[in-house]
Coordinates of all heavy atoms in Angstrom, one line a residue:
M1 N -17.6 5.5 30.6 CA -17.1 4.6 29.5 C -17.4 5.1 28.2 O -18.5 5.4 27.8 CB -17.7 3.2 29.8 CG -17.4 2.3 28.6 SD -18.1 0.6 29.0 CE -17.9 -0.1 27.4
S2 N -16.4 5.3 27.4 CA -16.6 5.8 26.0 C -16.4 4.8 25.0 O -15.4 4.1 25.0 CB -15.7 7.0 25.8 OG -15.7 7.3 24.4
W3 N -17.3 4.6 24.1 CA -17.2 3.7 23.0 C -16.0 4.1 22.1 O -15.4 3.2 21.5 CB -18.4 3.7 22.1 CG -19.5 2.8 22.7 CD1 -20.5 3.3 23.5 CD2 -19.6 1.4 22.6 NE1 -21.3 2.2 23.9 CE2 -20.8 1.0 23.3 CE3 -18.9 0.4 22.0 CZ2 -21.2 -0.3 23.4 CZ3 -19.3 -0.9 22.1 CH2 -20.4 -1.2 22.8
F4 N -15.8 5.4 22.0 CA -14.9 5.8 20.9 C -13.4 5.8 21.4 O -12.5 5.9 20.6 CB -15.3 7.2 20.5 CG -16.6 7.2 19.9 CD1 -17.7 7.7 20.6 CD2 -16.8 6.7 18.6 CE1 -19.0 7.7 20.0 CE2 -18.1 6.7 18.1 CZ -19.2 7.2 18.8
S5 N -13.2 5.7 22.7 CA -11.8 5.7 23.1 C -11.2 4.3 23.3 O -10.1 4.1 23.6 CB -11.7 6.5 24.4 OG -12.4 5.9 25.4
S6 N -12.1 3.3 23.2 CA -11.5 1.9 23.4 C -11.2 1.3 22.0 O -12.0 1.4 21.1 CB -12.5 1.1 24.1 OG -13.8 1.0 23.4
K7 N -10.1 0.6 22.0 CA -9.8 -0.1 20.7 C -10.7 -1.3 20.5 O -11.2 -1.9 21.5 CB -8.4 -0.6 20.8 CG -7.3 0.5 20.6 CD -5.9 -0.2 20.5 CE -4.9 0.9 20.2 NZ -3.6 0.4 20.0
K8 N -11.0 -1.6 19.3 CA -11.9 -2.8 19.0 C -11.1 -3.7 18.1 O -10.2 -3.3 17.4 CB -13.1 -2.3 18.3 CG -14.0 -1.5 19.2 CD -15.3 -1.1 18.5 CE -16.1 -0.2 19.4 NZ -17.3 0.2 18.7
L9 N -11.6 -5.0 18.1 CA -10.9 -6.0 17.2 C -11.3 -5.6 15.8 O -12.5 -5.3 15.5 CB -11.5 -7.4 17.6 CG -10.8 -8.1 18.7 CD1 -11.4 -9.5 18.9 CD2 -9.3 -8.3 18.4
C10 N -10.3 -5.7 14.9 CA -10.5 -5.6 13.5 C -11.6 -6.5 13.0 O -11.6 -7.7 13.4 CB -9.2 -5.8 12.8 SG -9.4 -5.9 11.0
S11 N -12.6 -6.0 12.3 CA -13.7 -6.9 11.8 C -13.3 -7.8 10.7 O -14.0 -8.6 10.2 CB -14.9 -6.1 11.5 OG -14.5 -5.2 10.4
H12 N -12.0 -7.6 10.2 CA -11.6 -8.5 9.1 C -10.7 -9.6 9.6 O -10.9 -10.8 9.2 CB -10.8 -7.6 8.0 CG -11.7 -6.6 7.4 ND1 -12.5 -6.9 6.3 CD2 -12.1 -5.4 7.7 CE1 -13.2 -5.9 5.9 NE2 -13.0 -4.9 6.8
C13 N -9.7 -9.3 10.4 CA -8.8 -10.4 10.8 C -9.1 -10.9 12.2 O -8.7 -11.9 12.6 CB -7.3 -9.9 10.7 SG -6.9 -8.5 11.8
H14 N -9.9 -10.1 13.0 CA -10.3 -10.4 14.3 C -9.1 -10.7 15.2 O -9.2 -11.4 16.2 CB -11.2 -11.7 14.3 CG -12.4 -11.5 13.4 ND1 -13.5 -10.7 13.8 CD2 -12.7 -12.0 12.2 CE1 -14.4 -10.8 12.8 NE2 -13.9 -11.5 11.8
I15 N -8.0 -10.1 14.9 CA -6.8 -10.3 15.7 C -6.3 -8.9 16.2 O -6.1 -8.8 17.4 CB -5.7 -10.9 14.8 CG1 -6.1 -12.4 14.4 CG2 -4.3 -11.0 15.6 CD1 -5.2 -13.0 13.4
T16 N -6.2 -8.0 15.3 CA -5.6 -6.7 15.7 C -6.6 -5.8 16.3 O -7.7 -5.6 15.7 CB -5.0 -6.1 14.4 OG1 -4.2 -7.1 13.7 CG2 -4.0 -4.9 14.8
K17 N -6.2 -5.1 17.4 CA -7.1 -4.1 17.9 C -6.7 -2.7 17.3 O -5.5 -2.4 17.2 CB -7.0 -4.1 19.4 CG -7.7 -5.2 20.1 CD -7.7 -5.1 21.6 CE -8.6 -6.1 22.2 NZ -8.8 -5.9 23.7
T18 N -7.7 -2.0 17.0 CA -7.4 -0.7 16.3 C -8.5 0.3 16.7 O -9.7 0.0 17.0 CB -7.4 -0.9 14.8 OG1 -7.1 0.3 14.2 CG2 -8.6 -1.5 14.2
Y19 N -8.2 1.6 16.5 CA -9.2 2.7 16.6 C -9.7 3.0 15.2 O -10.7 3.7 15.0 CB -8.5 4.0 17.1 CG -8.0 3.9 18.5 CD1 -6.7 4.0 18.8 CD2 -9.0 3.8 19.6 CE1 -6.2 4.0 20.1 CE2 -8.5 3.8 20.9 CZ -7.2 3.8 21.2 OH -6.7 3.8 22.4
Q20 N -9.0 2.5 14.2 CA -9.3 2.9 12.9 C -10.5 2.3 12.3 O -10.8 1.1 12.5 CB -8.1 2.5 12.0 CG -8.1 3.0 10.6 CD -6.8 2.7 9.9 OE1 -5.7 2.9 10.4 NE2 -6.9 2.0 8.7
K21 N -11.2 3.1 11.5 CA -12.4 2.6 10.7 C -12.1 2.8 9.2 O -11.5 3.8 8.8 CB -13.7 3.3 11.1 CG -14.2 2.7 12.4 CD -15.7 3.1 12.5 CE -16.3 2.4 13.7 NZ -17.8 2.7 13.8
F22 N -12.5 1.8 8.5 CA -12.4 2.0 7.0 C -13.8 1.6 6.4 O -14.3 0.5 6.7 CB -11.3 1.0 6.5 CG -11.2 1.0 5.0 CD1 -10.8 2.1 4.3 CD2 -11.4 -0.2 4.3 CE1 -10.7 2.1 2.9 CE2 -11.3 -0.2 2.9 CZ -10.9 0.9 2.2
E23 N -14.4 2.4 5.7 CA -15.7 2.2 5.1 C -16.7 1.7 6.1 O -17.5 0.8 5.9 CB -15.6 1.2 3.9 CG -14.7 1.8 2.8 CD -14.6 0.9 1.6 OE1 -15.0 -0.3 1.7 OE2 -14.3 1.4 0.5
G24 N -16.7 2.4 7.3 CA -17.7 2.1 8.4 C -17.4 0.9 9.2 O -18.2 0.6 10.1
E25 N -16.4 0.1 8.9 CA -16.1 -1.1 9.7 C -14.7 -0.9 10.4 O -13.8 -0.2 9.9 CB -16.0 -2.3 8.8 CG -17.3 -2.7 8.2 CD -17.2 -4.1 7.5 OE1 -16.2 -4.8 7.8 OE2 -18.0 -4.3 6.6
V26 N -14.6 -1.5 11.6 CA -13.4 -1.5 12.3 C -12.4 -2.3 11.5 O -12.6 -3.4 11.2 CB -13.6 -2.1 13.7 CG1 -12.2 -2.1 14.5 CG2 -14.6 -1.4 14.5
T27 N -11.3 -1.6 11.1 CA -10.3 -2.2 10.2 C -8.9 -1.8 10.6 O -8.7 -0.6 10.6 CB -10.6 -1.8 8.7 OG1 -12.0 -2.0 8.4 CG2 -9.7 -2.5 7.7
C28 N -8.1 -2.7 10.8 CA -6.7 -2.4 11.2 C -6.0 -1.9 9.9 O -6.4 -2.2 8.8 CB -6.0 -3.5 11.8 SG -5.6 -4.9 10.7
P29 N -4.9 -1.2 10.0 CA -4.2 -0.6 8.8 C -3.8 -1.7 7.9 O -3.8 -1.6 6.6 CB -3.0 0.1 9.4 CG -3.4 0.4 10.8 CD -4.3 -0.7 11.3
Q30 N -3.3 -2.9 8.4 CA -2.9 -4.0 7.5 C -4.0 -4.5 6.7 O -3.9 -4.7 5.5 CB -2.3 -5.1 8.4 CG -1.7 -6.2 7.6 CD -0.6 -5.7 6.7 OE1 0.3 -5.0 7.1 NE2 -0.7 -6.1 5.4
C31 N -5.2 -4.7 7.3 CA -6.4 -5.2 6.5 C -6.8 -4.1 5.5 O -7.2 -4.5 4.4 CB -7.5 -5.5 7.4 SG -7.2 -7.1 8.3
E32 N -6.8 -2.8 5.9 CA -7.1 -1.8 4.9 C -6.3 -1.9 3.7 O -6.7 -1.8 2.6 CB -7.0 -0.4 5.6 CG -7.4 0.7 4.6 CD -7.4 2.1 5.2 OE1 -7.5 2.2 6.4 OE2 -7.3 3.0 4.4
T33 N -5.0 -2.0 3.9 CA -4.0 -2.1 2.8 C -4.4 -3.4 1.9 O -4.4 -3.3 0.7 CB -2.6 -2.3 3.3 OG1 -2.3 -1.1 4.1 CG2 -1.6 -2.3 2.2
N34 N -4.7 -4.5 2.6 CA -5.0 -5.7 1.8 C -6.2 -5.5 1.0 O -6.3 -6.0 -0.1 CB -5.2 -6.9 2.8 CG -3.9 -7.3 3.4 OD1 -2.8 -7.0 2.9 ND2 -3.9 -8.1 4.5
I35 N -7.2 -4.8 1.6 CA -8.5 -4.6 0.8 C -8.2 -3.7 -0.4 O -8.6 -4.0 -1.5 CB -9.5 -3.9 1.7 CG1 -10.0 -4.9 2.8 CG2 -10.7 -3.4 0.9 CD1 -10.7 -4.2 4.0
L36 N -7.4 -2.7 -0.2 CA -7.1 -1.8 -1.3 C -6.3 -2.5 -2.4 O -6.5 -2.4 -3.6 CB -6.3 -0.6 -0.8 CG -7.1 0.4 0.1 CD1 -6.2 1.5 0.7 CD2 -8.2 1.0 -0.8
I37 N -5.4 -3.4 -2.0 CA -4.6 -4.1 -2.9 C -5.4 -5.1 -3.7 O -5.3 -5.2 -4.9 CB -3.4 -4.9 -2.2 CG1 -2.3 -3.9 -1.8 CG2 -2.8 -6.0 -3.1 CD1 -1.2 -4.5 -0.9
S38 N -6.4 -5.7 -3.0 CA -7.2 -6.8 -3.7 C -8.1 -6.1 -4.7 O -8.6 -6.8 -5.6 CB -8.0 -7.5 -2.7 OG -9.0 -6.7 -2.1
R39 N -8.4 -4.8 -4.6 CA -9.2 -4.2 -5.5 C -8.5 -3.7 -6.8 O -9.1 -3.4 -7.8 CB -9.9 -2.9 -4.9 CG -10.9 -3.3 -3.9 CD -11.5 -2.1 -3.3 NE -12.5 -2.4 -2.3 CZ -12.9 -1.6 -1.4 NH1 -12.6 -0.4 -1.4 NH2 -13.8 -2.0 -0.5
E40 N -7.2 -3.7 -6.7 CA -6.5 -3.3 -7.9 C -6.2 -4.5 -8.8 O -6.0 -5.6 -8.3 CB -5.1 -2.7 -7.5 CG -5.3 -1.4 -6.8 CD -4.1 -0.5 -6.9 OE1 -3.1 -0.9 -7.5 OE2 -4.1 0.7 -6.4
G41 N -6.2 -4.3 -10.1 CA -5.9 -5.4 -11.0 C -4.4 -5.7 -11.0 O -3.6 -4.9 -10.6
I42 N -4.1 -7.0 -11.3 CA -2.7 -7.4 -11.5 C -2.1 -6.7 -12.7 O -2.7 -6.7 -13.8 CB -2.6 -8.9 -11.6 CG1 -3.1 -9.6 -10.4 CG2 -1.1 -9.3 -11.9 CD1 -2.3 -9.5 -9.1
R43 N -0.9 -6.1 -12.6 CA -0.3 -5.5 -13.7 C 0.8 -6.4 -14.3 O 1.4 -7.2 -13.5 CB 0.3 -4.2 -13.4 CG -0.8 -3.1 -13.1 CD -0.1 -1.8 -13.1 NE -0.9 -0.9 -12.2 CZ -0.5 0.3 -11.8 NH1 0.6 0.8 -12.2 NH2 -1.3 1.0 -11.0
I44 N 1.1 -6.2 -15.5 CA 2.1 -7.0 -16.2 C 3.3 -6.1 -16.4 O 3.2 -5.0 -16.9 CB 1.6 -7.6 -17.5 CG1 0.3 -8.4 -17.3 CG2 2.7 -8.4 -18.3 CD1 0.5 -9.7 -16.6
C45 N 4.5 -6.6 -16.1 CA 5.7 -5.8 -16.3 C 5.9 -5.5 -17.8 O 5.9 -6.4 -18.6 CB 6.9 -6.5 -15.8 SG 8.5 -5.6 -16.1
P46 N 6.1 -4.2 -18.2 CA 6.2 -3.9 -19.6 C 7.6 -4.4 -20.2 O 7.7 -4.5 -21.4 CB 6.2 -2.4 -19.7 CG 5.8 -2.0 -18.3 CD 6.1 -3.1 -17.4
V47 N 8.5 -4.7 -19.3 CA 9.8 -5.1 -19.8 C 9.9 -6.6 -20.1 O 10.3 -7.0 -21.2 CB 10.9 -4.8 -18.7 CG1 12.3 -5.2 -19.2 CG2 10.9 -3.3 -18.5
D48 N 9.4 -7.4 -19.2 CA 9.5 -8.9 -19.3 C 8.2 -9.7 -19.2 O 8.2 -10.9 -19.1 CB 10.6 -9.4 -18.4 CG 10.3 -8.8 -17.0 OD1 9.2 -8.9 -16.5 OD2 11.3 -8.3 -16.4
Q49 N 7.1 -8.9 -19.2 CA 5.7 -9.6 -19.2 C 5.5 -10.5 -18.0 O 4.7 -11.4 -18.1 CB 5.5 -10.3 -20.5 CG 5.0 -9.4 -21.6 CD 6.2 -8.6 -22.2 OE1 7.2 -9.1 -22.5 NE2 6.0 -7.3 -22.3
T50 N 6.2 -10.2 -16.9 CA 6.0 -10.9 -15.6 C 4.8 -10.3 -14.9 O 4.7 -9.1 -14.9 CB 7.3 -10.9 -14.8 OG1 8.3 -11.5 -15.5 CG2 7.1 -11.7 -13.5
K51 N 4.0 -11.1 -14.2 CA 3.0 -10.5 -13.4 C 3.6 -9.9 -12.2 O 4.4 -10.5 -11.5 CB 2.0 -11.6 -12.8 CG 1.0 -12.0 -13.8 CD 0.0 -13.0 -13.2 CE -1.0 -13.6 -14.3 NZ -1.8 -14.6 -13.8
M52 N 3.2 -8.7 -11.9 CA 3.9 -7.9 -10.8 C 3.2 -8.1 -9.5 O 2.0 -8.4 -9.4 CB 4.0 -6.4 -11.2 CG 4.9 -6.3 -12.4 SD 5.5 -4.6 -12.6 CE 4.0 -3.8 -13.2
V53 N 3.9 -7.9 -8.4 CA 3.5 -8.1 -7.1 C 3.1 -6.8 -6.5 O 3.9 -5.8 -6.6 CB 4.6 -8.8 -6.2 CG1 4.1 -9.0 -4.8 CG2 4.9 -10.2 -6.9
K54 N 2.0 -6.7 -5.8 CA 1.6 -5.4 -5.1 C 2.4 -5.3 -3.8 O 2.5 -6.2 -3.1 CB 0.1 -5.5 -4.8 CG -0.8 -5.7 -6.0 CD -1.1 -4.4 -6.7 CE -2.0 -4.7 -7.9 NZ -1.9 -3.6 -8.8
E55 N 2.9 -4.1 -3.6 CA 3.5 -3.8 -2.4 C 3.0 -2.5 -1.8 O 2.6 -1.6 -2.5 CB 5.1 -3.6 -2.6 CG 5.8 -4.9 -2.7 CD 7.3 -4.7 -2.8 OE1 7.8 -3.5 -2.6 OE2 8.0 -5.6 -3.2
D56 N 3.0 -2.5 -0.5 CA 2.5 -1.3 0.2 C 3.8 -0.5 0.7 O 4.5 -1.1 1.4 CB 1.6 -1.6 1.3 CG 1.4 -0.5 2.2 OD1 1.0 0.6 1.8 OD2 1.6 -0.6 3.5
Y57 N 4.0 0.7 0.3 CA 5.1 1.5 0.8 C 4.5 2.7 1.4 O 4.1 3.6 0.7 CB 6.1 1.8 -0.3 CG 7.3 2.5 0.3 CD1 8.3 1.7 0.9 CD2 7.4 3.9 0.4 CE1 9.4 2.3 1.6 CE2 8.5 4.5 1.0 CZ 9.5 3.7 1.6 OH 10.5 4.3 2.2
K58 N 4.4 2.8 2.7 CA 3.9 3.9 3.5 C 2.6 4.4 2.9 O 2.4 5.6 2.7 CB 5.0 5.0 3.5 CG 6.3 4.6 4.1 CD 7.2 5.7 4.4 CE 8.5 5.2 5.1 NZ 9.4 6.3 5.4
G59 N 1.7 3.4 2.7 CA 0.4 3.8 2.2 C 0.2 3.9 0.7 O -0.9 4.1 0.3
I60 N 1.3 3.8 0.0 CA 1.2 3.9 -1.5 C 1.3 2.5 -2.0 O 2.3 1.8 -1.7 CB 2.3 4.8 -2.1 CG1 2.2 6.2 -1.5 CG2 2.2 4.8 -3.6 CD1 3.4 7.1 -1.8
I61 N 0.4 2.1 -2.8 CA 0.4 0.7 -3.4 C 1.2 0.8 -4.7 O 0.8 1.6 -5.6 CB -1.0 0.2 -3.5 CG1 -1.6 0.0 -2.2 CG2 -0.9 -1.2 -4.3 CD1 -3.1 -0.2 -2.2
L62 N 2.2 0.0 -4.8 CA 3.0 0.0 -6.0 C 3.1 -1.4 -6.6 O 2.9 -2.4 -5.8 CB 4.3 0.7 -5.8 CG 5.1 0.4 -4.6 CD1 6.0 -0.8 -4.8 CD2 5.9 1.6 -4.1
D63 N 3.5 -1.5 -7.8 CA 3.7 -2.8 -8.4 C 5.2 -3.1 -8.6 O 5.8 -2.3 -9.2 CB 3.0 -2.9 -9.8 CG 1.5 -2.7 -9.7 OD1 0.8 -3.7 -9.5 OD2 1.1 -1.5 -9.7
R64 N 5.6 -4.2 -8.1 CA 7.0 -4.5 -8.3 C 7.2 -5.8 -9.1 O 6.5 -6.8 -8.8 CB 7.8 -4.7 -6.9 CG 9.2 -5.0 -7.1 CD 9.9 -5.4 -5.8 NE 10.0 -4.4 -4.8 CZ 11.0 -3.5 -4.8 NH1 11.9 -3.5 -5.7 NH2 11.0 -2.6 -3.8
C65 N 8.1 -5.8 -10.0 CA 8.4 -7.0 -10.8 C 9.5 -7.8 -10.2 O 10.5 -7.3 -9.8 CB 8.8 -6.6 -12.2 SG 9.3 -7.9 -13.2
S66 N 9.2 -9.1 -9.9 CA 10.2 -9.9 -9.2 C 11.3 -10.3 -10.2 O 12.3 -10.8 -9.8 CB 9.5 -11.2 -8.7 OG 8.8 -11.8 -9.7
Q67 N 11.0 -10.2 -11.5 CA 12.0 -10.6 -12.5 C 13.1 -9.5 -12.6 O 14.3 -9.8 -12.5 CB 11.3 -10.7 -13.8 CG 12.0 -11.5 -14.9 CD 12.2 -13.0 -14.5 OE1 11.3 -13.5 -13.9 NE2 13.3 -13.6 -15.0
C68 N 12.7 -8.3 -12.9 CA 13.7 -7.2 -13.2 C 13.8 -6.2 -12.0 O 14.5 -5.3 -12.0 CB 13.4 -6.5 -14.5 SG 11.8 -5.6 -14.4
N69 N 12.9 -6.5 -11.0 CA 12.9 -5.6 -9.8 C 12.5 -4.2 -10.1 O 12.7 -3.3 -9.3 CB 14.3 -5.6 -9.1 CG 14.1 -5.6 -7.6 OD1 13.1 -6.0 -7.0 ND2 15.1 -5.0 -6.9
G70 N 11.9 -4.0 -11.2 CA 11.3 -2.7 -11.5 C 10.1 -2.3 -10.7 O 9.3 -3.2 -10.3
V71 N 9.9 -1.1 -10.4 CA 8.7 -0.6 -9.7 C 7.9 0.3 -10.7 O 8.5 1.2 -11.3 CB 9.1 0.2 -8.4 CG1 7.9 0.7 -7.8 CG2 9.9 -0.8 -7.5
W72 N 6.6 0.1 -10.7 CA 5.8 0.8 -11.7 C 4.7 1.5 -11.0 O 4.1 0.9 -10.1 CB 5.3 -0.1 -12.8 CG 6.4 -0.8 -13.5 CD1 7.1 -1.9 -13.1 CD2 7.0 -0.3 -14.7 NE1 8.0 -2.2 -14.0 CE2 8.0 -1.2 -15.0 CE3 6.8 0.8 -15.6 CZ2 8.8 -1.1 -16.2 CZ3 7.6 0.9 -16.7 CH2 8.6 0.0 -17.0
L73 N 4.4 2.7 -11.3 CA 3.4 3.5 -10.6 C 2.5 4.3 -11.6 O 2.9 4.6 -12.7 CB 4.2 4.6 -9.8 CG 5.2 4.1 -8.8 CD1 6.3 5.0 -8.6 CD2 4.5 3.9 -7.4
D74 N 1.3 4.6 -11.1 CA 0.5 5.5 -11.8 C 1.1 6.9 -11.6 O 1.9 7.1 -10.7 CB -0.9 5.6 -11.2 CG -1.6 4.3 -11.5 OD1 -1.3 3.6 -12.5 OD2 -2.5 3.9 -10.7
S75 N 0.7 7.9 -12.5 CA 1.3 9.2 -12.4 C 0.9 9.9 -11.0 O 1.8 10.5 -10.5 CB 0.8 10.1 -13.5 OG -0.6 10.1 -13.5
D76 N -0.3 9.6 -10.5 CA -0.5 10.2 -9.2 C 0.2 9.5 -8.1 O 0.6 10.1 -7.1 CB -2.1 10.2 -8.9 CG -2.7 8.8 -8.9 OD1 -2.2 8.0 -9.7 OD2 -3.6 8.6 -8.1
E77 N 0.5 8.2 -8.2 CA 1.3 7.5 -7.3 C 2.7 8.0 -7.4 O 3.4 8.1 -6.4 CB 1.3 6.0 -7.5 CG -0.1 5.3 -7.3 CD -0.2 3.9 -7.8 OE1 0.6 3.6 -8.7 OE2 -1.1 3.2 -7.3
L78 N 3.2 8.2 -8.6 CA 4.5 8.7 -8.8 C 4.7 10.0 -8.0 O 5.8 10.2 -7.4 CB 4.8 8.9 -10.3 CG 6.2 9.4 -10.6 CD1 7.3 8.5 -10.2 CD2 6.3 9.7 -12.1
S79 N 3.8 10.9 -8.1 CA 4.0 12.2 -7.4 C 4.0 12.1 -5.9 O 4.7 12.7 -5.2 CB 3.0 13.3 -7.9 OG 1.7 12.8 -7.8
S80 N 3.2 11.1 -5.4 CA 3.2 10.8 -4.0 C 4.6 10.3 -3.6 O 5.1 10.6 -2.5 CB 2.2 9.8 -3.6 OG 0.9 10.1 -4.1
M81 N 5.1 9.4 -4.4 CA 6.4 8.8 -4.1 C 7.5 9.9 -4.2 O 8.4 9.9 -3.4 CB 6.8 7.8 -5.2 CG 5.9 6.6 -5.1 SD 6.3 5.6 -3.6 CE 7.2 4.3 -4.3
Q82 N 7.4 10.8 -5.1 CA 8.4 11.9 -5.2 C 8.4 12.8 -4.0 O 9.4 13.2 -3.5 CB 8.2 12.7 -6.5 CG 8.7 11.9 -7.7 CD 8.3 12.5 -9.0 OE1 7.3 13.3 -9.1 NE2 9.0 12.2 -10.1
E83 N 7.2 13.0 -3.4 CA 7.1 13.7 -2.2 C 7.8 13.0 -1.0 O 8.5 13.6 -0.3 CB 5.6 13.9 -1.8 CG 4.9 15.0 -2.6 CD 5.6 16.4 -2.4 OE1 5.8 16.8 -1.3 OE2 6.0 17.0 -3.4
L84 N 7.5 11.7 -1.0 CA 8.2 10.9 0.1 C 9.7 10.9 -0.1 O 10.4 11.0 0.9 CB 7.7 9.4 0.0 CG 6.4 9.1 0.7 CD1 6.0 7.6 0.5 CD2 6.6 9.3 2.2
A85 N 10.1 10.8 -1.3 CA 11.6 10.7 -1.6 C 12.3 12.0 -1.1 O 13.4 11.9 -0.7 CB 11.8 10.5 -3.1
K86 N 11.6 13.1 -1.2 CA 12.2 14.4 -0.7 C 12.4 14.3 0.8 O 13.4 14.9 1.3 CB 11.2 15.5 -1.0 CG 11.3 16.0 -2.5 CD 10.4 17.2 -2.6 CE 9.8 17.3 -4.0 NZ 8.6 18.1 -4.1
K87 N 11.5 13.7 1.5 CA 11.6 13.7 3.0 C 12.4 12.5 3.5 O 12.8 12.5 4.6 CB 10.2 13.5 3.5 CG 9.2 14.7 3.2 CD 7.8 14.4 3.7 CE 6.8 15.2 3.0 NZ 5.5 14.7 3.0
D88 N 12.6 11.5 2.7 CA 13.1 10.2 3.2 C 14.3 9.8 2.3 O 14.1 9.3 1.2 CB 12.0 9.2 3.2 CG 12.4 7.9 3.8 OD1 13.6 7.7 3.9 OD2 11.5 7.1 4.1
S89 N 15.5 10.0 2.7 CA 16.6 9.7 1.8 C 16.9 8.2 1.6 O 17.4 7.8 0.6 CB 17.9 10.4 2.3 OG 18.1 10.0 3.7
D90 N 16.5 7.4 2.6 CA 16.7 5.9 2.5 C 15.8 5.4 1.3 O 16.2 4.6 0.5 CB 16.2 5.2 3.7 CG 17.2 5.4 4.9 OD1 18.3 5.9 4.6 OD2 16.8 5.1 6.0
F91 N 14.7 6.0 1.3 CA 13.7 5.7 0.3 C 14.3 5.9 -1.1 O 14.2 5.1 -2.0 CB 12.5 6.6 0.5 CG 11.5 6.6 -0.6 CD1 10.6 5.6 -0.8 CD2 11.5 7.6 -1.5 CE1 9.7 5.6 -1.8 CE2 10.7 7.6 -2.6 CZ 9.7 6.6 -2.7
A92 N 14.9 7.0 -1.3 CA 15.4 7.4 -2.6 C 16.4 6.4 -3.1 O 16.4 6.1 -4.3 CB 16.0 8.8 -2.5
T93 N 17.3 5.9 -2.3 CA 18.3 5.0 -2.7 C 17.7 3.6 -3.1 O 18.1 3.1 -4.1 CB 19.4 4.7 -1.6 OG1 18.7 4.5 -0.4 CG2 20.3 5.9 -1.5
G94 N 16.7 3.1 -2.4 CA 16.2 1.8 -2.7 C 15.3 1.8 -3.8 O 15.3 0.8 -4.6
M95 N 14.4 2.8 -4.0 CA 13.3 2.6 -4.9 C 13.4 3.4 -6.2 O 12.9 2.9 -7.2 CB 12.0 3.1 -4.2 CG 11.8 2.4 -2.9 SD 11.1 0.8 -3.1 CE 9.4 1.0 -2.9
V96 N 14.0 4.5 -6.2 CA 13.9 5.4 -7.3 C 14.6 4.7 -8.6 O 14.2 5.0 -9.7 CB 14.5 6.8 -7.0 CG1 14.5 7.7 -8.3 CG2 13.6 7.4 -6.0
L97 N 15.6 3.9 -8.3 CA 16.2 3.1 -9.3 C 15.3 2.5 -10.3 O 15.5 2.5 -11.5 CB 17.1 2.1 -8.7 CG 18.0 1.3 -9.6 CD1 19.1 2.2 -10.2 CD2 18.7 0.1 -8.8
G98 N 14.3 1.8 -9.8 CA 13.4 1.1 -10.6 C 12.2 1.9 -11.2 O 11.3 1.3 -11.8
M99 N 12.2 3.1 -10.9 CA 11.0 3.9 -11.3 C 11.0 4.4 -12.7 O 11.1 5.5 -13.0 CB 10.9 5.1 -10.3 CG 9.5 5.6 -10.1 SD 9.5 7.1 -9.1 CE 9.8 6.4 -7.5
A100 N 10.9 3.4 -13.6 CA 11.0 3.7 -15.0 C 9.6 3.8 -15.6 O 9.1 2.9 -16.2 CB 11.7 2.6 -15.7
V101 N 9.0 4.9 -15.3 CA 7.6 5.1 -15.7 C 7.6 5.7 -17.1 O 8.2 6.7 -17.4 CB 6.8 6.1 -14.8 CG1 5.5 6.4 -15.3 CG2 6.7 5.4 -13.4
G102 N 7.0 5.0 -18.0 CA 7.1 5.4 -19.4 C 5.8 5.9 -20.0 O 4.8 5.5 -19.7
Ligands
ZN1 ZN1 -7.2 -6.6 10.5
ZN2 ZN1 10.1 -6.8 -15.1

């Protein structure tokens, strides 16, 4: 019997079984994303001053404005997104429109 080959209940939601660990605790991918999102500050849309909503897109956390539907990214996030966009053409149609990083 191996400890490492059995899935364990996520120590955050106690629902999802996972092999994954995050910061030394058993953490499912969803909870890891939530933790990362909760650590980031809320951003304000530069266009209409609406509080933006955090979204997770394939592991990249981005801020989307519900008012103008704009997506705002840090420069390192932007380069990750551009990498994804090269590989994923669906992605390019949906998201790049709002990528008005100034
Ligand atoms: Zn969880
Ligand atoms: Zn906006």
